Amino acid sequence: MPQPSPPKEFLRLLKPHLPQMLATLCQFVEAESPSLEKAPANACCGVIAEEWRKRGLTVERIAQKERGDHLRIIYWPSKSRPAGQLLVLGHYDTVYSSGTLQQMPFRVSAGKAYGPGIFDMKAGIVQALYALQSMQETNTNLRKRLVFLWTSDEEIGSEFSRKLLEAEARRSDAVFVLEPSFGPRGLLKTARKGVGQAELTVHGRASHAGLAPQEGINAIHELAQQLTRIEKWNDHHRGVTINAGIIEGGTRTNVIPERARAVLDLRALRVSDMRSLEDRLRDLRPFQTGARLEVTGGFDRPPLERKMSASLFARAKLLAKQMNLALDECTVGGGSDGNFTAALDIPTLDGLGAVGDGAHSSHEHILVNTMPARAALLAALLANI
């Protein structure tokens, strides 16, 4: 049986393919895929599926009623039984509505490629495609079956893909997430905060602000006191943040408001802190006699704790060194689908996608010359786990 090709061999093969990688990337970017628009998302799904089919792979299109279809691609070239499974995970949906290409078309300038969704995360899908192609060209011996899963709703919370990706993760020995890396040095994301949203509603009692203020219970005043209390729970050293992003309440200035609400963004680096924060919110008690508090929501994306990434990152760093590449890691506040897989106790390494900047902005871009090395690193990881 042939042995896995060394990382340098993958890189040597992939460097001449950079023009083809860019051409494929242009196809993917120009197939707009807004999370909330099923028809264009499905069209993009078809474009991506065709490129993978060209490599002779088993491509399953998983139909969805409300969102774009998901893609599940399997690679196992041997007739023998695999020793396990590795999952490569990502999404093709973007935050940009149809027609955005008119304002920010795909273009390459000064070593950067621009376009909606190019960094987050269509370049990652292209890199995975060519990583797979390099393994085919070198007849790389794999110990484990590879499954590539590209979903259509990550940018809006993964409501329709979560069960699918969690089921696939449970069958896998490790998960590699093709979300973009961090910063110009392409840091891998070995820890991510858990993310959630809670709503705090205060129920008071209405009354005339001039004739009978003593008969009212001011819901806005109560909410202000509660937010002052909650603000003190922020602990940046531990990575716990609570942000009141929306506040509503009251009807007229001469009416004691009977209702007020705040929507809170919740983030934590540890599962224990996540649970503690949810408990503290539900244990809130009113300052004003007669006021009533209602708390709904909570964390919907658990944290990716570093312990779930440490061993995979160590392997990635070693393989990168064999390509004369420096590789480092970081912790980020945003969540990804890797949070879900890590919460299942599946080793998960995130940020293996493109190097660039400007996600979700008009200057979203990637650094073109980094694509072959990132694809080679992924190929080396999949061949050596």
Side-chain angles (χ1 to χ4, degrees):
M1 294 288 289
Q3 294 300 308
S5 299
K8 280 188 176 180
E9 178 66 10
F10 290 128
L11 184 57
R12 185 190 67 79
L13 279 173
L14 284 163
K15 280 185 175 179
H17 283 299
L18 182 55
Q20 290 91 344
M21 295 176 80
L22 272 178
T24 305
L25 181 58
C26 178
Q27 282 184 276
F28 289 3
V29 171
E30 291 187 342
E32 293 183 289
S33 50
S35 307
L36 298 174
E37 299 178 42
K38 180 171 173 55
N42 273 347
C44 178
C45 181
V47 171
I48 295 171
E50 180 59 27
E51 284 300 317
W52 288 81
R53 288 193 183 100
K54 287 178 182 178
R55 276 71 179 178
L57 304 175
T58 301
V59 179
E60 178 187 5
R61 185 161 173 165
I62 304 170
Q64 302 296 301
K65 289 184 179 180
E66 299 183 44
R67 305 293 178 226
D69 297 343
H70 306 315
L71 283 177
R72 182 175 181 265
I73 301 150
I74 301 173
Y75 180 63
W76 177 245
S78 174
K79 293 182 179 179
S80 62
R81 186 182 181 89
Q85 176 174 297
L86 300 176
L87 175 62
V88 182
L89 182 60
H91 65 91
Y92 69 84
D93 63 312
T94 76
V95 300
Y96 304 92
S97 59
S98 292
T100 301
L101 274 171
Q102 297 176 14
Q103 289 76 44
M104 43 184 302
F106 177 87
R107 63 187 177 90
V108 179
S109 175
K112 299 176 180 178
Y114 296 81
I118 194 168
F119 179 53
D120 186 12
M121 54 155 279
K122 290 182 176 179
I125 298 175
V126 173
Q127 289 167 189
L129 176 67
Y130 281 84
L132 184 281
Q133 182 174 305
S134 71
M135 286 186 281
Q136 291 178 315
E137 291 178 359
T138 55
N139 194 28
T140 295
N141 178 40
L142 297 174
R143 293 181 56 248
K144 300 181 181 183
R145 177 178 59 185
L146 305 183
V147 173
F148 299 83
L149 183 62
W150 310 129
T151 64
S152 66
D153 63 345
E154 191 273 347
E155 294 289 6
I156 52 173
S158 306
E159 178 185 358
F160 297 93
S161 59
R162 181 171 177 176
K163 288 183 179 179
L164 172 66
L165 67 91
E166 288 181 334
E168 206 62 63
R170 288 189 180 98
R171 291 190 283 267
S172 304
D173 302 305
V175 179
F176 300 95
V177 185
L178 271 292
E179 287 282 347
S181 62
F182 183 80
R185 294 191 293 129
L187 305 182
L188 300 194
K189 298 168 180 176
T190 54
R192 283 183 178 272
K193 289 185 178 183
V195 183
Q197 179 177 294
E199 185 172 313
L200 171 60
T201 303
V202 177
H203 300 276
R205 185 166 60 239
S207 182
H208 195 290
L211 298 178
Q214 71 282 358
E215 295 180 10
I217 300 173
N218 193 309
I220 291 178
H221 290 176
E222 176 69 33
L223 181 61
Q225 289 177 285
Q226 295 294 341
L227 293 179
T228 299
R229 168 191 276 167
I230 290 170
E231 194 276 334
K232 296 175 183 177
W233 299 352
N234 280 282
D235 187 340
H236 296 286
H237 177 72
R238 289 187 63 83
V240 175
T241 61
I242 309 100
N243 178 64
I246 300 172
I247 294 179
E248 297 174 347
T251 54
R252 295 174 180 270
T253 57
N254 62 349
V255 177
I256 302 292
E258 66 177 348
R259 184 179 180 277
R261 65 186 282 268
V263 182
L264 311 172
D265 178 270
L266 313 174
R267 297 179 191 259
L269 272 174
R270 300 171 178 84
V271 172
S272 58
D273 288 333
M274 179 183 81
R275 299 303 180 206
S276 175
L277 186 54
E278 289 179 326
D279 290 343
R280 294 180 80 175
L281 283 169
R282 283 167 176 76
D283 287 342
L284 285 172
R285 296 295 178 265
F287 289 95
Q288 299 181 67
T289 302
R292 182 170 61 86
L293 306 182
E294 179 185 359
V295 177
T296 58
F299 281 85
D300 54 15
R301 201 176 289 258
L304 191 169
E305 298 192 38
R306 188 185 180 279
K307 64 183 180 181
M308 300 308 302
S309 299
S311 61
L312 291 177
F313 175 72
R315 179 68 61 89
K317 191 167 186 175
L318 180 64
L319 293 169
K321 186 177 181 180
Q322 294 176 34
M323 294 188 289
N324 298 318
L325 297 175
L327 194 65
D328 215 335
E329 62 181 307
C330 68
T331 296
V332 294
S336 81
D337 284 340
N339 293 54
F340 295 135
T341 63
L344 300 173
D345 288 330
I346 312 299
T348 299
L349 187 59
D350 204 338
L352 282 161
V355 180
D357 197 10
H360 303 184
S361 78
S362 60
H363 65 278
E364 181 167 340
H365 66 271
I366 65 161
L367 303 182
V368 171
N369 287 336
T370 62
M371 293 185 73
R374 300 298 284 200
L377 176 61
L378 178 62
L381 276 166
L382 296 175
N384 287 278
I385 297 295

